[in-house]
Amino acid sequence: VLLLAPRVIALLTDFGYADPYVASMKGVILSINGVARIVDVSHGVPKFDIRSASYVLYCAYKYFPEGTVFVVVVDPGVGTERRSIVVKTRRYFFVGPDNGVLIPAARDDGIEKVVNVTNRKYMRREVSHTFHGRDIFAPVAAHISRGVPVDEFGEAITDYVVPSFAEPVISGRRAEGEVIYIDGFGNAATNIRVEHVERLGLKYGDEVKVVIEREGEEKYYRWRFLPSFGYAGKGRPLLLINSEGFLEIAVNLGNASRELGISIGDRVIVEPL
Amino acid sequence: VLLLAPRVIALLTDFGYADPYVASMKGVILSINGVARIVDVSHGVPKFDIRSASYVLYCAYKYFPEGTVFVVVVDPGVGTERRSIVVKTRRYFFVGPDNGVLIPAARDDGIEKVVNVTNRKYMRREVSHTFHGRDIFAPVAAHISRGVPVDEFGEAITDYVVPSFAEPVISGRRAEGEVIYIDGFGNAATNIRVEHVERLGLKYGDEVKVVIEREGEEKYYRWRFLPSFGYAGKGRPLLLINSEGFLEIAVNLGNASRELGISIGDRVIVEPL
Amino acid sequence: VLLLAPRVIALLTDFGYADPYVASMKGVILSINGVARIVDVSHGVPKFDIRSASYVLYCAYKYFPEGTVFVVVVDPGVGTERRSIVVKTRRYFFVGPDNGVLIPAARDDGIEKVVNVTNRKYMRREVSHTFHGRDIFAPVAAHISRGVPVDEFGEAITDYVVPSFAEPVISGRRAEGEVIYIDGFGNAATNIRVEHVERLGLKYGDEVKVVIEREGEEKYYRWRFLPSFGYAGKGRPLLLINSEGFLEIAVNLGNASRELGISIGDRVIVEPL
């Protein structure tokens, strides 16, 4: 028996799980393409937090089947002049506001074209001032999933918003980065990636000097760089490469963010001993 | 290639996202109709809150494909004598308890028939006292999605419960309503709708006198009526028509409910200046 | 029109609803089997709580269609030496860590075989130290859903971990058990099941002496055993058989856990009067 795999539409918003907004988007999508496969990436990213949303999208997108259409609605500028865009990459499509949220994942896959969505034919007849997720992004994604070419939606642009994501600064055996995401376990991901860690020459078991700084206040630690949580004692902090390739501060069977007082945006300096 | 769109079954409960209850309902549905398309409307409405659930259903239902079967389990009276009903409307089916929760959405679409579900053939063999969502509503919805006519489930009734949703009082250029929903952003929706706002003669940019009253205590404000959040300064309150057509109190990039101390049920008087 | 029902893959994790982890697993599954039907059992069980996860799985699994593949990722030992297993039961497949979490449900259905997953052919090419849900369990489940026989994944074992779930002690008309789950309504399920209640000779309406004990402190109550919440007065405690067949402590239209101060692990002694 042959079953054909329908096109996947993956949704990422800051709408939470109580309100009707996500359901309205799904209804719009299924009314245009009744066989689309809708998958929730997350609706629980912090509200208006473009950086967290970018990180979640970056982590998850690459595991999806080729041709997946990602729709992101983290959109503090809705109703103002910010543009709506479709990004076509090597393997995927990304639909959302032109505020930078789509770009880290799209760049990682390889951007082929960015289109400014202006063709009202592919929007809902009435476009509200407050809910472009339902009135523009959802119908555009549904039409892409039915095979409409991206050029149909509007003109190609090159001046799309690129977020100023801080790259870590590597100098000799010292890396200076920042906390860019805190997950539900309290693990604090930094923007120092596995390739930077390799340049520092860090090996499993090494002791590391770590400085965490916020608003001029600095805390000093000495932790081990380990392959995974279970290698540290219960309740003990460690450094590890998380499953997405980022250097992460964690506490085995504990909550690093809470127990160590770490927040998104904290500066992190890492120096092997 | 032709893929046939399966019938959508959309679920709305107050079960939250941790417990096994929603999954049990989905298992029951898929055991009866393995190709049904199940969509979550929300499982995060406040527990036992029929009014909030009605609002969420009202907002979301109309975007779904024709023939969608909505199942609502917000059911403080489960296990007592309250009836189980199926409402057939112009374009949809609604399944749930006879406590009023289905009626605002069903009326908006146009009620054709309400059936008191009594035919045990379409229920699970053992019906528990505490979980009609799994034992009655889910299997009935699955059978509807397979084409069973609504008359099969029981007798038509006309004395179903209609909730006493307050309509706002409009007198001259003054509207008196109440807060009926607070969303995850803290926006406070009132029962004053776009058609009432038009009768007040309100135009974008107008200043409005707003009185918010709870338990005899009144607060007075002067806010602008604006097309969307971004037209107000950061952290500034405003009035707008939300994406569902309700007059809403919001704070741009803030939380109106928390910052202004607004709760569901607060009375709201609106008067253009 | 004939639509073929695709195989269901049901996911249960402690990842919560904000992080990208669940989405990554779904992407991996859909990349291997684009027509698999993915259903969320729950991602909201308390983190690292194998007992709660076991209870949720036990409650929900039996309602799913035959052949469903359950994937459970509640895995405090990830990255250490604990094994990955597939359990084939009479009607289902269970995939997850060998830490006991799968066993109560699997035993209830009837275990036919337990396989230690070692065949890297069915894992992702790179297996991280921290995320076996994505790198082992998800791809294994997707391959099972495509018909790969369980023997393909590794050797059969018999020394899998069996959790020491306490059975209640019944002596005469006295049952001594414990609280094993607290749901989102605050209802406290005990490990005393309907068959134990029958042995006590309890009938609806009977008064029952209940002792709740934690850390040496005992509280004494006298409650009625009733068919459902609505039979108790508003705000009044009661005992009932919950929809999963467990004796449960509840408060009608209230929150038993909060109002009575009940926690998971509290000992519960029940004696009809």
Side-chain angles (χ1 to χ4, degrees):
Chain A
V1 166
L2 184 78
L3 285 171
L4 287 161
R7 195 64 77 84
V8 175
I9 298 178
L11 307 181
L12 172 57
T13 78
D14 59 1
F15 292 155
Y17 290 86
D19 293 337
Y21 307 132
V22 174
S24 297
M25 289 178 61
K26 292 181 180 177
V28 166
I29 289 168
L30 292 172
S31 295
I32 293 169
N33 183 357
V35 298
R37 168 74 60 101
I38 300 173
V39 176
D40 298 304
V41 174
S42 172
H43 304 294
V45 299
K47 291 202 189 296
F48 308 128
D49 187 337
I50 292 170
R51 188 167 52 177
S52 282
S54 290
Y55 179 83
V56 169
L57 183 66
Y58 179 96
C59 291
Y61 89 89
K62 59 182 82 79
Y63 302 105
F64 279 75
E66 190 158 347
T68 294
V69 185
F70 293 92
V71 182
V72 182
V73 195
V74 177
D75 194 11
V78 66
T80 65
E81 295 300 309
R82 73 102 188 87
R83 296 175 294 192
S84 302
I85 57 174
V86 173
V87 185
K88 183 176 177 345
T89 66
R90 203 167 51 84
R91 301 191 301 149
Y92 302 110
F93 302 89
F94 296 85
V95 181
D98 180 28
N99 62 15
V101 72
L102 307 174
I103 301 306
R107 274 193 165 171
D108 190 54
D109 193 54
I111 294 177
E112 296 187 345
K113 187 177 280 190
V114 180
V115 169
N116 178 17
V117 176
T118 54
N119 189 344
R120 296 191 67 98
K121 175 179 165 191
Y122 298 107
M123 306 178 188
R124 293 191 70 242
R125 193 148 348 151
E126 284 187 57
V127 174
S128 70
H129 291 286
T130 53
F131 194 0
H132 288 184
R134 178 193 68 198
D135 297 337
I136 300 176
F137 307 144
V140 164
H143 286 294
I144 292 172
S145 77
R146 290 180 59 148
V148 173
V150 296
D151 290 318
E152 274 287 300
F153 299 104
E155 300 289 314
I157 58 173
T158 55
D159 62 341
Y160 50 86
V161 173
V162 175
S164 57
F165 272 11
E167 278 280 310
V169 179
I170 315 292
S171 50
R173 297 198 69 210
R174 182 179 184 280
E176 185 175 344
E178 61 178 294
V179 175
I180 56 170
Y181 192 74
I182 291 174
D183 75 15
F185 294 90
N187 303 320
T190 71
N191 62 342
I192 302 169
R193 289 181 55 81
V194 64
E195 59 266 27
H196 307 122
V197 169
E198 282 163 7
R199 280 166 59 191
L200 297 181
L202 259 183
K203 292 182 304 299
Y204 289 142
D206 285 357
E207 274 207 307
V208 183
K209 177 183 159 192
V210 180
V211 186
I212 297 180
E213 187 245 297
R214 180 170 57 226
E215 291 168 10
E217 199 188 335
E218 295 184 334
K219 297 183 201 165
Y220 293 81
Y221 299 100
R222 185 182 281 229
W223 293 327
R224 280 195 193 281
F225 176 60
L226 295 170
S228 82
F229 306 102
Y231 286 82
K234 186 177 173 175
R236 298 291 298 272
L238 69 150
L239 294 172
L240 77 164
I241 300 294
N242 73 16
S243 55
E244 311 305 334
F246 293 86
L247 186 70
E248 185 166 275
I249 302 163
V251 170
N252 184 29
L253 296 172
N255 186 305
S257 167
R258 203 159 45 216
E259 293 166 28
L260 301 166
I262 299 174
S263 299
I264 290 183
D266 287 2
R267 298 206 64 75
V268 176
I269 298 164
V270 167
E271 215 166 339
L273 289 172
Chain B
V1 166
L2 185 77
L3 286 171
L4 287 161
R7 194 64 77 84
V8 175
I9 298 178
L11 307 181
L12 172 57
T13 77
D14 59 1
F15 292 156
Y17 289 87
D19 293 337
Y21 307 131
V22 174
S24 298
M25 289 178 62
K26 292 180 179 176
V28 167
I29 289 168
L30 292 171
S31 295
I32 293 169
N33 183 358
V35 299
R37 168 74 60 101
I38 301 173
V39 175
D40 298 303
V41 174
S42 171
H43 305 293
V45 298
K47 291 200 189 298
F48 308 129
D49 187 337
I50 291 170
R51 189 167 50 178
S52 282
S54 291
Y55 179 84
V56 170
L57 183 66
Y58 179 96
C59 291
Y61 89 90
K62 59 183 80 80
Y63 302 105
F64 279 75
E66 190 157 347
T68 294
V69 185
F70 294 92
V71 181
V72 182
V73 195
V74 177
D75 193 10
V78 65
T80 64
E81 295 300 310
R82 73 102 188 88
R83 298 174 293 191
S84 302
I85 58 174
V86 174
V87 184
K88 182 176 179 344
T89 66
R90 203 168 52 84
R91 300 191 301 149
Y92 302 111
F93 301 89
F94 296 85
V95 181
D98 179 28
N99 63 14
V101 73
L102 308 174
I103 300 307
R107 273 193 166 170
D108 189 55
D109 193 55
I111 294 177
E112 295 188 345
K113 187 177 278 190
V114 180
V115 169
N116 178 17
V117 177
T118 54
N119 189 344
R120 297 191 65 100
K121 176 179 165 190
Y122 298 106
M123 304 179 189
R124 293 192 68 242
R125 194 150 345 152
E126 284 186 58
V127 173
S128 70
H129 292 286
T130 53
F131 194 1
H132 288 184
R134 179 193 67 199
D135 299 337
I136 300 176
F137 307 144
V140 164
H143 286 293
I144 292 172
S145 76
R146 291 181 57 149
V148 173
V150 296
D151 291 317
E152 273 288 299
F153 299 104
E155 300 288 313
I157 59 173
T158 54
D159 63 341
Y160 51 86
V161 172
V162 175
S164 58
F165 273 12
E167 277 280 310
V169 179
I170 314 292
S171 50
R173 297 199 68 210
R174 182 179 185 279
E176 184 175 344
E178 63 177 292
V179 175
I180 57 170
Y181 191 74
I182 291 174
D183 75 15
F185 293 90
N187 303 320
T190 72
N191 62 343
I192 302 168
R193 290 181 56 82
V194 64
E195 59 265 27
H196 307 121
V197 169
E198 282 162 7
R199 280 166 60 192
L200 297 181
L202 258 183
K203 292 182 305 295
Y204 291 141
D206 285 357
E207 274 208 307
V208 183
K209 177 183 160 191
V210 179
V211 185
I212 298 181
E213 188 244 297
R214 180 169 57 224
E215 293 169 9
E217 198 188 335
E218 295 184 334
K219 297 183 201 165
Y220 294 81
Y221 300 99
R222 184 183 282 229
W223 294 326
R224 279 195 193 281
F225 174 61
L226 295 169
S228 82
F229 305 103
Y231 285 82
K234 186 176 172 177
R236 299 291 299 274
L238 69 152
L239 293 172
L240 77 164
I241 300 295
N242 73 16
S243 54
E244 311 305 333
F246 294 87
L247 186 70
E248 186 167 274
I249 302 163
V251 169
N252 184 30
L253 296 171
N255 186 304
S257 167
R258 203 160 45 217
E259 292 165 29
L260 301 167
I262 299 174
S263 299
I264 289 182
D266 286 2
R267 298 205 65 74
V268 176
I269 298 164
V270 166
E271 214 165 341
L273 290 172
Chain C
V1 165
L2 185 78
L3 286 171
L4 288 161
R7 193 65 76 84
V8 175
I9 298 178
L11 306 181
L12 173 57
T13 78
D14 59 0
F15 292 155
Y17 290 86
D19 293 336
Y21 307 132
V22 173
S24 298
M25 290 179 61
K26 291 180 180 178
V28 167
I29 288 168
L30 292 172
S31 295
I32 294 169
N33 183 357
V35 299
R37 167 74 61 102
I38 300 173
V39 176
D40 298 305
V41 175
S42 173
H43 305 294
V45 299
K47 291 200 189 298
F48 308 130
D49 187 337
I50 293 170
R51 188 166 52 177
S52 282
S54 290
Y55 179 84
V56 170
L57 183 66
Y58 179 97
C59 291
Y61 90 89
K62 60 183 80 79
Y63 302 104
F64 279 75
E66 190 158 347
T68 294
V69 185
F70 293 92
V71 182
V72 182
V73 195
V74 177
D75 193 10
V78 65
T80 65
E81 296 300 308
R82 73 103 187 85
R83 298 175 292 191
S84 301
I85 58 174
V86 173
V87 185
K88 181 174 178 346
T89 66
R90 202 167 51 85
R91 300 191 300 151
Y92 301 110
F93 303 89
F94 296 86
V95 181
D98 180 27
N99 63 15
V101 72
L102 307 173
I103 301 306
R107 274 192 166 171
D108 190 54
D109 193 54
I111 294 177
E112 295 187 347
K113 187 177 279 189
V114 180
V115 169
N116 178 17
V117 177
T118 54
N119 189 343
R120 297 191 66 99
K121 175 178 164 191
Y122 297 107
M123 304 177 188
R124 293 191 70 242
R125 194 148 347 150
E126 284 187 57
V127 173
S128 70
H129 292 286
T130 52
F131 194 0
H132 288 186
R134 179 193 66 198
D135 298 337
I136 300 177
F137 306 144
V140 164
H143 286 293
I144 292 172
S145 78
R146 289 181 58 148
V148 173
V150 296
D151 291 318
E152 273 288 299
F153 299 104
E155 300 289 313
I157 59 173
T158 56
D159 64 340
Y160 51 85
V161 172
V162 176
S164 58
F165 272 12
E167 277 280 310
V169 179
I170 314 292
S171 50
R173 297 198 70 211
R174 183 180 184 279
E176 185 176 343
E178 62 178 291
V179 175
I180 57 169
Y181 192 74
I182 291 174
D183 74 16
F185 294 91
N187 302 320
T190 72
N191 61 343
I192 303 168
R193 289 181 55 80
V194 63
E195 58 266 27
H196 306 121
V197 169
E198 282 163 7
R199 279 166 59 192
L200 297 181
L202 258 183
K203 293 182 304 297
Y204 290 142
D206 285 357
E207 275 208 307
V208 184
K209 176 184 160 191
V210 180
V211 186
I212 297 180
E213 187 245 295
R214 180 169 58 224
E215 292 168 9
E217 199 188 334
E218 295 184 334
K219 297 182 201 166
Y220 293 81
Y221 300 99
R222 185 182 282 229
W223 294 326
R224 279 196 193 281
F225 175 62
L226 295 170
S228 82
F229 306 102
Y231 286 82
K234 186 176 171 175
R236 297 292 299 272
L238 69 150
L239 293 172
L240 77 164
I241 301 295
N242 72 17
S243 54
E244 311 305 333
F246 294 87
L247 187 70
E248 186 166 275
I249 302 163
V251 169
N252 184 31
L253 295 172
N255 186 304
S257 168
R258 202 160 46 216
E259 292 166 29
L260 300 166
I262 299 174
S263 298
I264 289 184
D266 286 1
R267 298 206 64 74
V268 176
I269 298 164
V270 166
E271 214 165 340
L273 290 172

